[in-house]
Amino acid sequence: MTIGLIWATAAGREAATRLAAAWPGECTVHEGTVRDQLTQAWSGSDAIVAFLATGATVRLLAPLLTTDSDGKHTQPGVVCVDEAGRWAVALLGGHGGGANALAARVSEVLGASPVVTTGTDAAGLPGLDTLGFAVANPDAVAPVSRALLDGEPVHLRSDQVWPLPALSANLGDHPGATRTVLITDRLVAPAADRSVLVLRPPSLVLGIGASRGVSGGEIADLVARVLADAGLAGESVCAVATADVKADEAGLLAYAAGRGLPLVTFPAAALAQVTVPNPSEVVRAAVGTPSVAEAAALLAAGARGRGAELVAGKTASAMATVAVARLVPMGRLAVIGLGPGAADLRTPRATERLRASSIVVGLDQYVDQVRHLLRPGTRIVDSGLGAEEERARSAVELARQGHAVALIGSGDAGVYAMASPALEFAGDDIEVTAVPGVTAALAASSLLGAPLGHDHVYLSLSDLHTPWEVIERRLEAAAHADLVVCLYNPRSARRTRQLPAALAILGAHRPPDTPIGLVRDASRAGERIALTTLDAIDPAEVDMNTVVIVGASTTRTVAGRMVTPRGYAWMAR
C-alpha cells in the first residue's frame, strides 16, 4: 500500500514524519500547497492521511471525487487527523478504500482514537464487502447493507460453506426476503433493482498447459472463452497452475502477474498420479505426464481446500490448453489463549481471531470472559468442567464442516489447555492457527518478582490423567537438576496429598529456606500473593486456582521479591 501524507501546519508535518518513520517504504510526505499535496496524493496513492480538519478536507476532495457507481471502490481511502492528534477519522472509502483499517493503524502510532462511522462497523458487523470475496455488483452493497441494518430479513445463498465471521442475525435462510446475498462463482444476471448482492469466492483454479512462446494474450483469450462457456466468473479465479517445465514461460508469467494471481507449478511425476478425464499420450511423450492443465488444476485446488472437482475440462487453442477446477473450502480452527484473566493481558490477536469466528467453543466460565467481544450472531458452544474431549471434538468437527471456529482456553491454549486435545483430532482437512496467551505461570512470576529468571520446569500435580508414579519421577528429575519448579493443579478439595508429597521430594534436595511463591487468581479479582519457604509453607493455603513456584537452590528473596539469578558473567565482577 502507498500512503500519501498531507499536512498544513508544523504539528501536522511532525505527525506525518512520525508515520513515515513507523511505516518505512509505505509513505510519501508531500510538499507544497495543501491543494497541490492532495492532488498529487490522490493520483499516486492507495490511501491518504490528511492532517487537516474534516471540513477543509471535504472541500479540497470535492472536485476530485468521481460520480460513477464504482468510484467508492476505486478511489483512495482518506483518514483525517486533527491538529492535536487526538482523532483519526475514516472520512472516505471506509471499506473499499481501507480507511477504517488505516484509521486504526494511525491511532496505534500516534496514540489517537479511531473514528469509524460506517453502519456495519458501528453495529459491530463485518461489512459485506470485507469478507474476502470479490464484489460482482458494488452498487448493491449499500441497499443490501441498509436492509440488514434496518433489521429486515436478508436471504443468504452460498454454493458452499465458507469460513466466515459471524454475520448479522437477520442474514440467513429467509427465502421470501426481498434482499439476497449470493456467494457463487457461477455467472448470474445482476438484479436490476439491486436486490441481490453477488459475492465471488476465491474458489476456482486455472490449470494451463502451454507451448513454448505462447503469448499472454492468447492465454487470456482462451481463459475468457473457457470460463464463459462453463458459466464461471473470472473474479473467482484464485490461482494458476502448470507443470514445473513451464515455470519460466514468459506468456504464462505475464498472464498471471497481470491479474495478480499466484503461479503454482508441479513436477511431471506428481501430475501423472492424478486421474483426469482427458489424458493425452502426446502430452505424456512431450512433458512426462498425460495431463498438465486438468491435473495441475485439480492438484492446486486440492492443496488450497479440502478437495477439488473439475468444472471445465481442458480446452485448447493453437498454443495453450486450459482447464478449471473448483476447490472445496477448508474450515478454520483458531485455538486461542485468553491469558490469565485480566482484559489487558489478553492479546489483540486473540480479540481479532475471536471476532473473525462465527462459532466459539469453550468452557462456560471462559466464554463469559469474552462474550462482550463477540460479534452479534456468533454461535456459542459452551460446556462445564470436565468436558475437554467433547469441546475439542466439537470444535474440530465444526471446522471440518467449513466454519470459522474459535476454541478458547485460559492462559496459553498450548499449555495444559485445549490445543493438545484439539490437534490430536484435527487432520489436514482443516486450517489450524494458534494464538498464544500469557500463562498463569508468567502472570504469577511477574507478581512475585523474577523467580523464572533461570532454567525452570512446569509440572502438573493432577493425577487424573497421569499416574502419580510418573509425576513423582518427574519431580525427582527436576529436584536433581536443581530447576525452579512451577506447579500447576497443586491441590483440590479431593486431592490433598499430592502437594505435600511434591514438596517433600523437592525439599530432600533443597535447603529449608528455599523461597516459594504462591499466587492465587493471578490478574483476576481476588488476587492473592504470598512469599514463603519450603519449611514454612502451609499446603492448606493452596487450591486449584493457585500457582506454586518453588525456587532452585540459587533463588533468593531481594527486597521482598523472589529472584532466581540469571548468572551473567558481568554480575560477578
Side-chain angles (χ1 to χ4, degrees):
M1 173 182 281
T2 58
I3 304 172
L5 305 180
I6 310 304
W7 57 278
T9 67
R13 182 68 165 80
E14 191 274 334
T17 302
R18 286 175 60 192
L19 282 188
W23 306 332
E26 284 190 78
C27 301
T28 299
V29 180
H30 289 272
E31 303 290 344
T33 68
V34 175
R35 187 180 299 278
D36 288 345
Q37 290 182 52
L38 191 55
T39 302
Q40 294 164 12
W42 187 262
S43 60
S45 303
D46 299 314
I48 295 171
V49 179
F51 294 91
L52 303 168
T54 55
T57 307
V58 168
R59 285 191 293 272
L60 291 168
L61 284 175
L64 302 175
L65 296 174
T66 59
T67 56
D68 61 281
S69 61
D70 289 347
K72 64 178 289 187
H73 299 275
T74 58
Q75 297 168 356
V78 178
V79 172
C80 281
V81 180
D82 65 292
E83 182 75 5
R86 294 177 57 199
W87 311 105
V89 183
L91 183 69
L92 183 71
H95 290 161
N100 291 352
L102 182 58
R105 290 186 66 195
V106 169
S107 297
E108 289 177 359
V109 175
L110 301 182
S113 297
V115 179
V116 175
T117 59
T118 45
T120 49
D121 292 271
L125 299 171
L128 294 175
D129 52 352
T130 66
L131 299 177
F133 300 151
V135 181
N137 52 339
D139 59 336
V141 172
V144 175
S145 297
R146 188 177 306 116
L148 285 174
L149 293 172
D150 287 343
E152 298 178 20
V154 176
H155 186 43
L156 175 63
R157 289 171 50 202
S158 181
D159 294 341
Q160 303 190 81
V161 177
W162 289 88
L164 299 175
L167 302 175
S168 176
N170 52 319
L171 175 61
D173 187 19
H174 306 295
T178 58
R179 304 281 183 186
T180 297
V181 175
L182 174 61
I183 304 174
T184 183
D185 58 24
R186 296 174 291 106
L187 291 175
V188 294
D193 60 357
R194 301 185 299 166
S195 62
V196 179
L197 174 62
V198 181
L199 303 178
R200 302 296 191 198
S203 55
L204 303 177
V205 173
L206 301 176
I208 300 180
S211 299
R212 187 62 64 186
V214 66
S215 69
E218 179 176 342
I219 293 174
D221 290 343
L222 179 58
V223 168
R225 176 157 59 92
V226 170
L227 291 174
D229 289 348
L232 300 171
E235 303 100 315
S236 284
V237 174
C238 60
V240 176
T242 191
D244 280 353
V245 294
K246 299 300 178 183
D248 62 348
E249 188 63 50
L252 187 52
L253 290 170
Y255 172 79
R259 286 151 182 80
L261 296 172
L263 178 63
V264 184
T265 65
F266 299 97
L271 296 172
Q273 298 300 312
V274 181
T275 301
V276 297
N278 302 296
S280 167
E281 291 305 314
V282 174
V283 174
R284 186 197 297 273
V287 186
T289 171
S291 172
V292 172
E294 292 179 342
L298 286 168
L299 272 183
R304 286 175 164 260
R306 55 189 172 92
E309 62 171 332
L310 201 65
V311 290
K314 68 178 184 180
T315 300
S317 63
M319 300 183 70
T321 305
V322 170
V324 186
R326 176 184 288 132
L327 61 85
V328 180
M330 188 176 291
R332 185 175 67 237
L333 174 64
V335 187
I336 301 173
L338 299 179
D344 59 352
L345 290 181
R346 183 178 56 247
T347 66
R349 186 181 299 180
T351 300
E352 175 191 341
R353 298 308 301 171
L354 279 170
R355 293 177 62 79
S357 302
S358 60
I359 303 173
V360 172
V361 180
L363 182 67
D364 47 14
Q365 59 184 284
Y366 299 150
V367 170
D368 289 341
Q369 288 181 22
V370 297
R371 197 180 295 269
H372 63 290
L373 299 174
L374 307 180
R375 292 189 184 276
T378 302
R379 176 182 168 191
I380 294 174
V381 180
D382 58 355
S383 52
L385 287 168
E388 288 86 356
E389 180 179 350
E390 174 191 338
R391 287 194 294 273
R393 287 188 183 276
S394 294
V396 170
E397 181 54 36
L398 289 165
R400 194 167 280 142
Q401 294 170 15
H403 300 291
V405 182
L407 176 61
I408 62 174
S410 67
D412 182 280
V415 179
Y416 297 123
M418 294 305 299
S420 178
L423 297 189
E424 286 191 80
F425 301 135
D428 60 3
D429 55 348
I430 62 173
E431 175 189 339
V432 178
T433 58
V435 179
V438 177
T439 67
L442 294 179
S445 175
S446 69
L447 294 168
L448 291 167
L452 305 183
H454 210 311
D455 296 340
H456 55 275
V457 62
Y458 291 12
L459 288 172
S460 170
L461 294 189
S462 173
D463 56 359
L464 294 177
H465 303 292
T466 304
W468 179 247
E469 294 76 15
V470 174
I471 297 172
E472 281 184 313
R473 289 199 299 271
R474 293 171 180 172
L475 285 164
E476 289 281 359
H480 278 289
D482 196 19
L483 300 172
V484 176
V485 180
C486 181
L487 298 175
Y488 273 62
N489 306 313
R491 185 176 183 273
S492 69
R494 289 185 295 177
R495 290 188 305 100
T496 58
R497 64 177 180 82
Q498 286 85 350
L499 179 58
L503 294 172
I505 292 172
L506 296 172
H509 301 270
R510 299 183 190 187
D513 61 350
T514 298
I516 293 180
L518 307 177
V519 181
R520 186 180 192 279
D521 288 333
S523 85
R524 303 182 188 184
E527 171 186 279
R528 292 209 308 266
I529 307 162
L531 270 176
T532 184
T533 60
L534 261 174
D535 62 347
I537 183 174
D538 180 3
E541 296 289 322
V542 176
D543 63 11
M544 284 289 285
N545 293 327
T546 304
V547 173
V548 178
I549 300 182
V550 182
S553 64
T554 57
T555 305
R556 59 182 185 266
T557 301
V558 180
R561 303 180 186 94
M562 187 177 176
V563 179
T564 302
R566 183 66 184 90
Y568 291 110
W570 56 264
M571 297 183 70
R573 295 173 189 168

